Every structure is written in structure tokens, then in C-alpha cells.
Amino acid sequence: MEQNQKVEDYMRIIYRLRENGLVRGAYIARELGVTKPTVSVALKEMEAAGYLAIQPDRTVELTEKGEKIGEYVIKRNRVIYGLLTDLGVDKKTAALDACNMEHGISEESLKALCDLRQFLRVIRKTSYLQQTDE
């Protein structure tokens, strides 16, 4: 199984779910809005590809390979989502758009977006400080 949007979507969900505890196929299905059998098939494919391990108790754990993908997908998503919300896009739209945009962005463009977000924060902070000084 090659790394693609489906793998990245699963990695993002698994990465986020595990912050709250154990990850199970049913939780992934709920987050993705798909059936449990769909998740089961995908998880088996991803396990065979070395992205994750399904434990005897049916919990899901990322392998080192899956961990790296999960971290990077989360990073891309957070940068894009953060920039969109900083620009005034509502949270729901920003979340949907970030999910779509995160898959096709290059490292160079991601860095540029990070730089733009930082620049906007500095500008806003400077503007705020000037307003409070008056």
C-alpha cells in the first residue's frame, strides 16, 4: 500500500485519537464517517504496509514509520488550519479545507505558509501594541 490521501487521513485520525487514550477501529470509523468493516480492511492493509500494529486487544498503535507520517500530516493540517482561521475563515470550513489541502502541499510551500502565519502574528501584535500606546 503506497502512502496516499487515505493513509494520511487514517494516520491523522489515529494520531489525534491516541492523545485521548486507546485507539480502536470503531473510534476511527466514527471520526471518518465510514463503517467498521471498511476501517478493518484499511487497518489490515496499513498493518501489512508497516504503518501500524493491531494489538491482540484490537487496539491500534502506530509503528515508527506510521508515527513519522502522522506527525507530518498533523503538522501540515495545523499550519493550514491555523492560517485559515487567522485569516478569518470559520473553524468548520477551515477544518474541511485544511484536510483537503494538507495532502498536496510541498515542504517548501508549507514553510512559506508557516512564515506567512508568523509574519501575520507579528503584524497583528505590533498593530495591537500601537493601538494601546495611543
Side-chain angles (χ1 to χ4, degrees):
M1 171 184 260
E2 65 183 70
Q3 181 183 328
N4 58 26
Q5 185 171 341
K6 175 182 162 184
V7 170
E8 290 181 350
D9 285 343
Y10 273 79
M11 290 295 124
R12 180 175 22 82
I13 297 300
I14 293 167
Y15 200 89
R16 283 187 181 155
L17 285 172
R18 72 180 190 167
E19 291 174 354
N20 298 321
L22 297 175
V23 178
R24 298 189 185 280
Y27 307 157
I28 298 167
R30 183 182 61 233
E31 290 291 318
L32 291 172
V34 298
T35 65
K36 291 177 195 175
T38 297
V39 170
S40 181
V41 169
L43 291 178
K44 287 177 186 171
E45 290 174 0
M46 293 169 66
E47 183 176 42
Y51 296 119
L52 54 85
I54 302 170
Q55 302 303 313
D57 66 355
R58 308 299 297 158
T59 57
V60 177
E61 293 182 8
L62 295 176
T63 62
E64 186 175 328
K65 183 178 178 181
E67 183 80 23
K68 287 179 183 177
I69 294 168
E71 276 181 22
Y72 189 61
V73 172
I74 289 288
K75 175 185 174 185
R76 291 184 311 202
N77 184 279
R78 287 182 177 159
V79 167
I80 296 167
Y81 173 82
L83 179 58
L84 292 173
T85 55
D86 286 353
L87 292 171
V89 176
D90 72 90
K91 291 180 179 183
K92 184 177 180 181
T93 301
L96 291 171
D97 289 346
C99 184
N100 289 322
M101 295 167 70
E102 74 191 19
H103 302 292
I105 194 166
S106 68
E107 183 65 33
E108 181 181 0
S109 293
L110 184 66
K111 183 180 180 330
L113 292 179
C114 285
D115 292 346
L116 175 60
R117 187 168 185 217
Q118 184 62 34
F119 175 75
L120 291 172
R121 287 180 171 177
V122 169
I123 294 293
R124 286 187 176 133
K125 184 176 182 181
T126 302
S127 175
Y128 174 77
L129 290 175
Q130 288 172 349
Q131 289 173 3
T132 57
D133 288 343
E134 295 174 358

